[in-house]
Amino acid sequence: EHNLRKILGSKFAKKDSNKGLVQKITEIHESGDLDRLKEWRADPRRCAIMELSKVWGIGYRKAQTLIDVHRIWSVKELKVAVEENPKLVEARVHRTLRCHDDLQLRMSREEAMVIGDRVRSCARAVFSELLPSHDVTKLKVEGPMGSFRRGQPDCGDVDVLVTHEDWLDDPERTLSLDKQSQESSLSRSSYARTRNLGDEEATEGEDPDYGAQRSRASRDKFLATLRDRLHAQGFLTDHLGGDGFQKKTTTVQGEVPGAGCSSYMGICKPRETHRRLDIKVYAPQHYAYAMIYFTGNDYFNRSMRCYAKACGYSLCDKGLRKAARSGVSHKDGKYIDNKVAVGRLVVCDTEKDVFDVLGLDYKEPHERNVSDNATEVAEKARRLFEEQRRGGVVVDSSDDEEDARPAGRFRL
Ligand code: TTP
Ligand code: MG
């Protein structure tokens, strides 16, 4: 046990700390399995919850109700029960239930590519129609993302990311500014100024998020038109959650509302099998971050976010921002109160810029297939937390932490 505690690090250093966890690790190490897990696997109610909650639109709670109140223990039983009593589940679940078996299957890279190409060509046509005075050749339609981009042999679904440099702000607004040759004013110039983070100027001008907020209506309209076109063509068969649009409200304190991506979730049928398709339209100032997030994998993302956090920043699919956490801090850098007041966006054009800004070595997509969070990035974050703890520094965004920060392109 002593050796194990040594390997696990300082959080486990004290005798009897994290006792339960240490016992479980020891049991797995010695027997190759865990009794508690065996019980879980053998518990029919738990298995039924797991199976039912695989249906899109059915959560843990709903699965429990189906089992306890309606005595429905499997997806097969649910399908029969819904025929007799349609009110058993919401309308949106009826749609996903119909093609549930298809959605459990993985697809070849070739089929994923077909889906990506189909969205790409339709997106170009829709953009040209809706925004004829903007250069369609500058429309970026990247996808499939996720496992496909990481070079995996098969894919569970397809994510497609879209952006255009004119969505830096409301495209109508930027166009009229260009016409009047006022390029040095308003959004374009403030965007340019914020590029030089670390300079005095970094705090000048408007946060680029406001441009993203203003381009949101145009992006929403583009995506709704793209959705309707692909649906009319019979390619999209169902929209998830009503109209397929994700209505996300601001969850983080200090975030600019509505600045995020326009997001569509649906089901397409490129051939005989239904497939899950998500399309996200980002403002260009968030695109590099979205590329990283949707390339994944999730372990890789988690370690990168953890590293950013250790630097006093908050990283997500739409940016890197200074994070002034309002909660009381534990010694290990975890926060009791998770609320984050986010600072202005650090503008990055490419994925490599994001790695540079954080002072990390660039990883190609195929190098981001990590099976646990023991990646170099996570290791760096862990060391940073350790250093801060040793130095008695609390991980937050106060100004006396210069030494604890990594030497990136910018001083974070
Ligand atoms: P997914 O499509 O769910 O994952 P995937 O493409 O890696 O695997 P699959 O072949 O099964 O589809 O999500 C796409 C990316 O989004 C994922 O690689 C990383 C990111 N992501 C997270 O970071 N956290 C999450 O919880 C989820 C669901 C996704
Ligand atoms: Mg995927």
Side-chain angles (χ1 to χ4, degrees):
E1 188 183 318
H2 176 70
N3 282 344
L4 178 63
R5 286 186 179 278
K6 236 172 144 181
I7 294 167
L8 291 172
S10 56
K11 249 164 115 181
F12 295 80
K14 266 194 209 150
K15 203 169 174 276
D16 291 343
S17 60
N18 290 298
K19 207 171 173 185
L21 198 53
V22 171
Q23 270 170 4
K24 286 189 192 95
I25 295 171
T26 311
E27 190 184 331
I28 293 170
H29 180 66
E30 285 170 1
S31 72
D33 209 339
L34 193 64
D35 277 346
R36 179 102 182 268
L37 212 53
K38 278 188 214 155
E39 279 168 31
W40 266 58
R41 284 194 216 106
D43 180 350
R45 193 168 173 276
R46 279 197 197 286
C47 293
I49 291 175
M50 297 295 279
E51 181 177 330
L52 290 168
S53 53
K54 272 191 191 152
V55 178
W56 198 94
I58 295 185
Y60 195 83
R61 279 259 171 83
K62 180 73 187 174
Q64 282 180 321
T65 311
L66 289 171
I67 295 164
D68 299 337
V69 180
H70 303 282
R71 306 277 150 217
I72 293 166
W73 291 80
S74 68
V75 173
K76 206 173 157 194
E77 286 174 15
L78 181 63
K79 282 181 184 170
V80 176
V82 163
E83 291 284 316
E84 287 166 14
N85 176 14
K87 289 210 170 123
L88 205 56
V89 291
E90 294 169 67
R92 60 187 190 144
V93 178
H94 283 242
R95 289 198 291 268
T96 44
L97 202 53
R98 272 205 307 268
C99 47
H100 175 75
D101 299 341
D102 277 5
L103 299 183
Q104 304 310 300
L105 305 170
R106 297 185 70 80
M107 73 190 101
S108 66
R109 290 180 61 81
E110 187 261 331
E111 187 172 352
M113 194 66 200
V114 166
I115 298 173
D117 287 344
R118 180 76 180 261
V119 175
R120 214 177 330 273
S121 58
C122 195
R124 295 221 170 94
V126 168
F127 187 89
S128 305
E129 285 166 35
L130 289 182
L131 296 149
S133 46
H134 296 261
D135 186 355
V136 67
T137 63
K138 289 183 175 169
L139 186 74
K140 290 185 191 166
V141 188
E142 206 80 46
M145 299 294 294
S147 45
F148 180 92
R149 188 163 186 249
R150 298 195 311 275
Q152 296 296 94
D154 50 32
C155 313
D157 61 1
V158 170
D159 294 301
V160 178
L161 299 186
V162 185
T163 199
H164 190 286
E165 61 177 36
D166 294 345
W167 276 320
L168 193 58
D169 206 313
D170 175 2
E172 301 306 325
R173 191 166 179 255
T174 44
L175 203 70
S176 70
L177 285 172
D178 283 351
K179 272 194 192 135
Q180 295 162 26
S181 308
Q182 288 181 341
E183 285 198 3
S184 62
S185 68
L186 287 171
S187 61
R188 280 184 193 277
S189 64
S190 58
Y191 177 70
R193 276 206 300 266
T194 57
R195 304 172 93 73
N196 304 316
L197 192 95
D199 294 355
E200 293 295 304
E201 272 188 322
T203 51
E204 272 183 35
E206 187 188 59
D207 189 309
D209 268 7
Y210 287 98
Q213 185 190 48
R214 285 188 295 264
S215 75
R216 180 64 183 269
S218 171
R219 288 183 282 130
D220 278 350
K221 189 174 174 200
F222 163 82
L223 188 57
T225 313
L226 177 60
R227 170 199 64 189
D228 294 345
R229 186 72 49 90
L230 288 167
H231 191 247
Q233 292 170 355
F235 181 70
L236 286 177
T237 61
D238 288 290
H239 309 317
L240 295 179
D243 62 0
F245 269 72
Q246 206 176 0
K247 289 157 204 76
K248 212 172 163 189
T249 50
T250 308
T251 50
V252 179
Q253 187 191 333
E255 213 177 313
V256 176
C261 66
S262 303
S263 169
Y264 169 79
M265 295 182 296
I267 296 170
C268 65
K269 199 175 178 202
R271 290 172 185 161
E272 59 281 353
T273 312
H274 292 88
R275 305 293 186 191
R276 278 277 292 109
L277 169 64
D278 290 347
I279 310 172
K280 321 263 173 197
V281 187
Y282 277 87
Q285 52 270 54
H286 298 150
Y287 197 61
Y289 296 101
M291 287 289 288
I292 289 180
Y293 180 85
F294 284 100
T295 299
N297 62 12
D298 44 359
Y299 284 119
F300 184 84
N301 287 352
R302 218 171 291 158
S303 31
M304 205 152 164
R305 275 200 303 266
C306 176
Y307 181 69
K309 188 173 169 180
C311 304
Y313 276 69
S314 163
L315 177 71
C316 69
D317 64 319
K318 60 185 178 76
L320 178 72
R321 295 171 180 83
K322 197 160 189 176
R325 291 178 168 85
S326 52
V328 185
S329 174
H330 288 302
K331 267 199 233 132
D332 63 2
K334 278 198 178 152
Y335 294 88
I336 297 166
D337 181 350
N338 223 10
K339 274 188 189 143
V340 182
V342 283
R344 62 194 299 119
L345 174 72
V346 178
V347 176
C348 286
D349 282 336
T350 65
E351 287 177 284
K352 175 135 190 344
D353 285 347
V354 178
F355 283 80
D356 280 355
V357 159
L358 287 165
L360 297 169
D361 293 335
Y362 180 68
K363 298 279 177 212
E364 294 291 343
H366 71 268
E367 293 174 301
R368 303 181 207 165
N369 283 306
V370 288
S371 56
D372 57 36
N373 65 1
T375 61
E376 274 171 54
V377 177
E379 196 44 53
K380 258 188 155 175
R382 217 168 283 141
R383 275 206 301 271
L384 207 57
F385 276 130
E386 292 278 322
E387 272 171 34
Q388 285 164 343
R389 197 171 24 245
R390 271 201 299 276
V393 180
V394 173
V395 188
D396 66 22
S397 57
S398 60
D399 285 329
D400 54 3
E401 277 178 51
E402 293 291 309
D403 298 341
R405 291 174 197 169
R409 181 149 64 98
F410 305 122
R411 206 114 174 256
L412 287 180

